[in-house]
Amino acid sequence: MTSASSTPSSTPQAPALGAPLARIWDDLAAMVAYHSVHGDPALRADYESNVDWIVGAFSRLGIELERIECVDESVALVGAKPAVNGAPTVLLYAHHDVVPAGERGEWEQDPLTLTQRTREDGSARWHGRGTADCKGNIAMHLEALRRLGPLDRVDTGIRVLIEGSEENGGEGLHDLLAKRPELFAADAIIVADTGNAAPGLPCLVTLLRGSAQIRVRCQTLTSPAHSGKFGGVAPDATAALMRTLDSLRDEEGRTRIDGIDCTGHWHGAGYDPERFASDAGVVQGGELIGHPDAEEVADAVWARPAVTVTGFSSTPVEEAVNAVPAEAAAQVNLRVPPRLKDDEGHRLSTEDAARLLAAHLHEHVPWGARLEVDIQDTSTGYQAEAGGLNLLRDCLTEAYGTPAREIGTGGSIPLTVDLHEAFPEAAIALLGVADTSAAIHSPDESVDPQEIVHMAEAEALFISRYGQKPRG
């Protein structure tokens, strides 16, 4: 994929749109045209040009953004309109970097040209790299500020933080928060990097599961043994590891880990099994683990630990010989809800849960096989205090004309945990313009433009009212 010119040669043809969609189209088309991948020297011109465009766009609305070079050579943009009359401050977050667009042939259109397509149900989708993750959220912030009118008439303080290395781990922003926390200080923080369960269904993400990466190695023989001479009695390392990993599921396939309470309950909205199967891409005739109803799906994906074998290796099929395998290995991903408990009711950290999983594997390995378990990396989950988001929930409900609901996600947004630790009293909300059809990080990424409109309206309502009502 070649870089777009740092100054696009032409503006993509916009469909016939009325306000505010025409404004949002112009903003998003301008940003999508820049292939703003962090860490690729060949695309640095686009990255820098995208930064310049964003600085200009916010400046025209009354917020001057300071350009800060971070330790990972990313660019963070920060700026503020001070609060007046003792009003609280809201921080608006998004990121301007994107994942690479990939091969042009995998897209139905140029990924760096914003394109509208109409679905069979008559709804429109805007396609292009970054439309949903996360330039659409920058467009949402811009539209929200426009709806507020002259910002000098708004009492609520507004901080803007647009970072540039989220897709590469966010090291630059993590370091900036540690060195200059005053740039992030706010009473409420809107992290715009998630989305709704479906278009037109407003959601607040109030839970993020933590994660642990675990490498497991199993050895049963000093070297492979001839299967004709030794098969049937010599311990097979592949079979031993498969049986060990299978001990992490009950008869219905639900996760079970010795010492961990795996029966947690999600108190927010349920997740319809048919929608979940569609969202997950379950094959025709496939069944969900445990045959769950809507309540149990939400419990399993947001309130309980989950174990996924993300990689497995033994003898490759192409290299198979008639020998009993001596070694096998697996990569395991453990997802940990933030209020997970052990069997005795004590709270567990992600590290605690990973250690209990390792102990479980050692306890269940068969045939005296030698097992090594290496906990490689962990991240902490986050759960919002629901009471601190009541006003924002009301604004979402008003903007969409339907009740907002709470959902969780298994995804990891380390910034949220960092912000919570730095500002424990701040109300942190996760929302965004993406939905389950957005195909973020994939070819033909898209956004429903009405999601940007509704989210911008909700954000503007929240900012305007936050200083006028008791917080909560």
Side-chain angles (χ1 to χ4, degrees), residues 19-34:
L21 284 175
R23 297 191 300 264
I24 296 170
W25 172 277
D26 289 343
D27 289 343
L28 196 51
M31 288 186 283
V32 166
Y34 298 118

Side-chain angles (χ1 to χ4, degrees), residues 214-224 235-245 309 311-316 324-332 365 367 369-373:
I214 301 168
R215 180 70 56 85
V216 185
R217 295 180 178 85
C218 180
Q219 182 180 11
T220 55
L221 304 169
T222 56
S223 63
D236 178 334
T238 299
L241 184 53
M242 290 168 63
R243 180 168 291 190
T244 304
L245 295 172
V309 179
F312 192 98
S313 63
S314 181
T315 305
V324 179
E327 297 181 0
Q331 187 72 21
V332 174
V365 64
W367 313 321
R370 183 178 300 167
L371 202 69
E372 295 180 7
V373 182

